[in-house]
Amino acid sequence: MKSFYITTAIDYANGRPHLGHAYEKVLTDVVARFRRLMGDEVYFLTGLDEHGQKVQQSAEARGIEPIELCDEAAENFIGLCAKLNVSNDDYIRTTEDRHKEVVQAILQKLYDQGDIYKADYHGYYSRRAEQFLQEKDRDENGEWPVIFGEVEEITESNYFFKLSQHQDWLVEHLETNETFIFPRFRTKQVLEFLKEPINDLCISRPKERLEWGISLPFDENYVTYVWFDALVNYVSAIGYGMDEFEDRWPVDFHVIGKDILVPPHAVYWPIMLKAAGIALPKSLLVHGWWLISGAKMSKSTGTVIDPLDLVDLYGSDAFRYFVTREMNVGQDSEFSEERYLARYNSDLANDLGNLLSRVLTMLNRGLGGVIPSPEVEEELETELWKLWDATREETLELYNGFQFHIGLEKAFHFIGSINRYAEQRAPWKLAKSEDEKDIKLLNTTLFVMSEALRLAVGLVEPVMPETNEKVYGLLGYESDAEWKTRLVRGTDIAGNKVGEKTILFPKPQNHS
RNA sequence: GCCAGGGUAGCUCAGUGGUAGAGCAGGAGACUCAUAAGCUCUUGGUCGGCAGUUCAAAUCUGCCCCUUGGCACCA
């Protein structure tokens, strides 16, 4: 069976992990975990883009070798994945031999086919910035900004990849494959871009200007630049050229930010693949950005908080929950500590965490910590189970369409209903009664609350794997049944010994 | 300028033709198993504006305004 193959964009080594990196990892991980739970064999790739001018310059500035800088970055970014509980199966670094070999093999193939040619590139070059400038770099008076220093017109030989001849089929592919890009409206932006003729793509840099890269296999005086290096990670990591490649490619989803859709992933990459005789990706999943308006000061500390610090403060599940609950995939969203705390306190601590606390306390206090068997089913129970069945179906459908924010809303609405059910049954009152009927109701109520809680944390497992595991453990629940089976109400947990009362999401102290 | 997304209650957002919704925040109450948590009730909106289509429009059409992005060898 072919794997469900999903990737994130690879991060650029010249920088530190930030919210954007973290979000993309979490989103991709949520999809990956969801597919695994749905029964797919998932292969999840992420990695690091390590070549290029900025890395070379930063390393020089610090007096270290580029690879040392990359090793550092790799440690940081791999650390981020671990911290976020990201379940990637592999981590590709573009300085690895397995990657370089594939890049060179593909370049050689395209060169042999005549898809790559050498030509002069003429343009305005800034020595200070060590880059060619574009018309849009000019200021409003049509002058070059002073930061570029002296700008000279020069001519440089470089290698180019033929793009223009591929325009027609790409347009047709975009028009006929509605699921190629999610959300769909992004397709229009690509088509808009393709209305104008596209120029061939410059894919090399002379080594005098850029040394830190992969050498062109057919000309040792050049390295390849950006796209033929970075994009190729998606195939190099899964063994392009080897048998195993066929088990994974074509990729099911490239998860990317909206900034790198046009032109790299929607134009260059499909054309590169087609030219190399490789199948096209099935889909691109394009997410929006987190907007951090101004640099809001925290009221309590007077400092600006790094969103990633919130992972350390409140745990990875809380962070994963927040970004998944707040972001409508494809749109932009606002990030603030206030909103984070509102979600944390209200949804996680008050609704979910507190529910677990009260269930465990009641079980440990009156019933020796053992989940009783249900003994009656009246309208209150029937209603709750009906809601569960609807919630499960709706939420899975929403997850399937990447509507995680609404799916989580439904799931937490169900959690709210468990709290409501508890108030209606008031087991703390029933516990004071000697009446046979009340005892049956008490047993039923505590069972129903426990079972409903088990089901609810199961439903949010792709987003909050740690919480799921903890709550399962505390309810004494173990199962190797597949997900959809675990999400069906049963009585397996009756008779289980539960854990001590546990605060899942402790409230921060010094906040109003 | 062109293209696209968004503009619905104080805040964040659901809602694609049929009497305006949720969560949070605000107000009131009863309860007490629980992380001063949970529950019930409640305040609050001319659905960006103006026109049009329709028996009926947040929802369809047109124009305008605000906002966020994109606009080729830049990542």
Side-chain angles (χ1 to χ4, degrees), chain A residues 19 21-22 61 106 116 138 148 164 171 183 191 202 254 259 301 306 334 348 410 416 433 448 458 481 489:
Chain A
L19 177 59
H21 298 119
I106 289 176
I116 291 173
R138 292 182 190 266
F148 292 120
S164 49
V171 167
L191 289 170
C202 179
H254 285 313
D259 54 324
T301 60
D306 180 340
E334 192 84 25
L348 299 182
K410 303 265 185 205
S433 170
V448 168
R489 151 168 90 106

Side-chain angles (χ1 to χ4, degrees), chain A residues 309-316 318-319 337 340-341 344 505-506 508 511:
Chain A
D309 289 343
L310 295 171
V311 182
D312 297 322
L313 285 170
Y314 303 107
S316 64
F319 182 89
E337 192 183 357
Y340 194 93
L341 286 173
Y344 181 86
F505 300 101
H511 264 281

Side-chain angles (χ1 to χ4, degrees), chain A residues 109-172:
Chain A
K109 176 174 181 163
L110 295 178
Y111 184 72
D112 292 343
Q113 287 174 186
D115 287 318
I116 291 173
Y117 63 93
K118 192 173 188 181
D120 287 339
Y121 178 67
H122 180 83
Y124 296 94
Y125 185 76
S126 158
R127 281 203 186 283
R128 183 178 296 174
E130 293 186 38
Q131 62 174 283
F132 277 94
L133 304 178
Q134 298 163 63
E135 286 306 314
K136 72 173 183 184
D137 290 325
R138 292 182 190 266
D139 63 24
E140 56 277 11
N141 303 319
E143 303 295 322
W144 299 113
V146 287
I147 56 158
F148 292 120
E150 190 192 341
V151 174
E152 47 195 324
E153 230 179 319
I154 65 166
T155 296
E156 182 177 285
S157 279
N158 264 310
Y159 286 89
F160 290 79
F161 173 55
K162 292 181 184 173
L163 286 179
S164 49
Q165 59 190 354
H166 292 95
Q167 206 152 343
D168 291 345
W169 70 256
L170 183 57
V171 167
E172 200 194 325

Side-chain angles (χ1 to χ4, degrees), chain A residues 201 291 318 369-370 398 430 443 461:
Chain A
L201 180 67
L291 310 171
V370 176
L398 288 162
L430 297 171
N443 288 340
E461 183 180 338

Side-chain angles (χ1 to χ4, degrees), chain A residues 10 36 65 85 94 111 131 263 280 302 342 349 354 384 421 450:
Chain A
I10 52 176
R36 272 193 210 104
E65 290 301 313
N85 209 359
T94 57
Y111 184 72
Q131 62 174 283
L280 301 190
N354 183 54
L384 187 66
Y421 168 80
S450 307

